[in-house]
Amino acid sequence: MGLLSDLFFGDLSQSFSIDQQRDAIKAQAVKQAESSSKLSSAAMQIDRLTRQNGELRLAVVALTRFLIEKRVVDEGELEAFMREVDAEDGKMDGRLAFPPPPKPKAP
């Protein structure tokens, strides 16, 4: 409200302005709560994915070591096969694209 409104309406004008400010603060608090909730959810997702990644890494390392120690596979052959699989998605970058490409058909 303007100066003239304040002069003519006095307390009523100030009360209206205060109510507007309260409404704006409440709206901002709701937005902040929603944002905080989204951040908390994202943090929980990151924690879950980090834990799953650690479990998968453990399984892969354990299986690889087991197969090499039991001489089921030779370490050099395994490395060559990993490079072959790595190339299947068109990039030799030490990882697979997501989702992984379809497996090539056996001859």
Side-chain angles (χ1 to χ4, degrees):
M1 299 251 162
L3 178 62
L4 288 177
S5 298
D6 288 345
L7 289 174
F8 289 114
F9 298 110
D11 290 341
L12 181 62
S13 174
Q14 287 179 342
S15 178
F16 181 72
S17 180
I18 290 170
D19 287 342
Q20 283 182 321
Q21 292 301 315
R22 282 187 184 142
D23 290 345
I25 290 169
K26 285 179 185 177
Q28 186 62 34
V30 168
K31 285 181 183 178
Q32 188 173 1
E34 289 172 354
S35 179
S36 178
S37 176
K38 288 177 185 177
L39 285 174
S40 176
S41 177
M44 287 172 45
Q45 243 183 337
I46 289 170
D47 288 344
R48 181 179 54 81
L49 291 171
T50 300
R51 190 174 50 256
Q52 286 177 343
N53 182 272
E55 292 168 358
L56 289 170
R57 290 179 64 212
L58 173 62
V60 169
V61 169
L63 181 59
T64 302
R65 287 183 187 173
F66 179 81
L67 293 173
I68 291 170
E69 286 178 14
K70 295 293 181 177
R71 299 194 175 165
V72 174
V73 65
D74 177 79
E75 190 172 351
E77 289 176 327
L78 183 57
E79 287 177 9
F81 187 70
M82 286 174 59
R83 284 191 298 274
E84 183 181 314
V85 172
D86 183 20
E88 288 177 2
D89 64 0
K91 294 180 187 174
M92 294 286 293
D93 57 3
R95 58 187 176 172
L96 285 176
F98 187 81
K103 292 181 184 176
K105 295 180 182 177

